[in-house]
Amino acid sequence: MNDKMDLDRRQPRLVLRLQTGVGQSGKAFDAEILNLSRNGMLVRTEAELSLDDPIAVVLPNSGAVPAKVVWFADGLYGCSFLEPISQDEMDAATYVASNEDDPDHRYGVDHETLGSRIKRLRVSKGHTMRGLAQKVGVSKPTLWKWEGDQVRPRHETMQRLAEELGVSELELVYGAPGLGKAIALAEEDAGSGGSLADIVRASRKRIADAAGVEETSVEIHINWDSE
């Protein structure tokens, strides 16, 4: 009870509704953040989270942020972050929550669909559709349906897919923060003219800014012989 009272006293605290995901013990679950502070959050989920194991929650512009459950009741979980988040992260959560408009949770916290995310990560890793499908153990038409948001991978397959794409299952399902927006802006540039070199240069910069890395760490590959 003291933990609950301590968490409730932390200010300032934002009241919002942010669709996201939490992970615990290697599994990812749908969740909704109802309010948020730099030190903790109130989460609603149908999953049964344990007080004993750490959790991770996907926040916009942050990725999977480590936390712990300090109290729970009726599907609500009071959580404390292991390290306080920044004000920029608070602002990003507010912005994304204000733009949530998909009741089916088709979009992650970066407003990129799961299918688009799978395709982006596949291309960035240099996988062909046939090659990745073989590694994951599915057919090429099945992967094509995933990338087209026609069907969703099952949990076991999602885990293998995440491993091959080099991300956690939590971030594969709920978003690589900021990159979806960066890709969308790059596509807008592509539609507005300019040379290929200019488009690639601008895209690298925006992706680097969104990911918080040096521009030299971003590689853009064009598969001229795509299947």
Side-chain angles (χ1 to χ4, degrees):
M1 180 63 68
N2 287 339
D3 285 336
K4 179 177 179 179
M5 291 175 64
D6 289 343
L7 186 63
D8 287 345
R9 281 199 298 264
R10 292 167 181 159
Q11 296 295 330
R13 199 167 188 85
L14 298 174
V15 177
L16 71 167
R17 295 187 63 185
L18 176 63
Q19 306 293 342
T20 186
V22 296
Q24 188 176 63
S25 302
K27 296 181 179 180
F29 310 101
D30 289 337
E32 184 178 34
I33 300 176
L34 300 180
N35 55 48
L36 179 72
S37 75
R38 293 190 59 189
N39 295 298
M41 60 186 173
L42 178 64
V43 174
R44 178 163 58 200
T45 178
E46 294 183 2
E48 294 185 3
L49 303 180
S50 169
L51 287 170
D52 301 322
D53 298 323
I55 68 169
V57 58
V58 174
L59 295 178
N61 295 354
S62 307
V65 177
K68 64 178 180 179
V69 178
V70 296
W71 63 268
F72 66 93
D74 300 324
L76 298 177
Y77 294 84
C79 304
S80 175
F81 294 126
L82 300 190
E83 296 289 341
I85 63 174
S86 68
Q87 185 59 48
D88 287 343
E89 290 171 310
M90 291 273 288
D91 293 342
T94 304
Y95 174 78
V96 172
S98 68
N99 286 279
E100 286 285 351
D101 57 2
D102 193 326
D104 295 325
H105 304 179
R106 185 183 178 196
Y107 294 83
V109 294
D110 56 5
H111 287 187
E112 183 181 31
T113 69
L114 174 61
S116 297
R117 190 175 305 113
I118 293 172
K119 182 176 181 179
R120 169 173 60 75
L121 291 170
R122 173 179 65 79
V123 172
S124 71
K125 292 291 183 180
H127 294 300
T128 63
M129 291 189 72
R130 180 175 289 112
L132 180 59
Q134 290 176 344
K135 288 179 178 294
V136 177
V138 299
S139 66
K140 180 181 173 182
T142 295
L143 178 57
W144 179 80
K145 290 180 180 179
W146 292 348
E147 293 189 356
D149 289 303
Q150 297 183 33
V151 295
R152 184 185 182 93
R154 295 180 179 178
H155 174 65
E156 296 78 8
T157 310
M158 191 81 78
Q159 290 180 320
R160 295 198 299 270
L161 183 61
E163 290 176 2
E164 294 296 337
L165 294 176
V167 297
S168 69
E169 182 188 357
L170 190 63
E171 290 194 355
L172 176 61
V173 177
Y174 297 101
L179 292 185
K181 182 178 180 181
I183 294 295
L185 291 171
E187 290 175 346
E188 289 178 8
D189 285 344
S192 61
S195 68
L196 177 60
D198 289 338
I199 294 170
V200 170
R201 190 178 303 111
S203 300
R204 286 181 61 192
K205 183 178 187 306
R206 280 179 166 161
I207 293 171
D209 290 343
V213 299
E214 295 294 330
E215 191 174 338
T216 54
S217 300
V218 177
E219 296 183 5
I220 296 178
H221 299 279
I222 300 176
N223 186 359
W224 300 105
D225 299 317
S226 60
E227 297 175 291

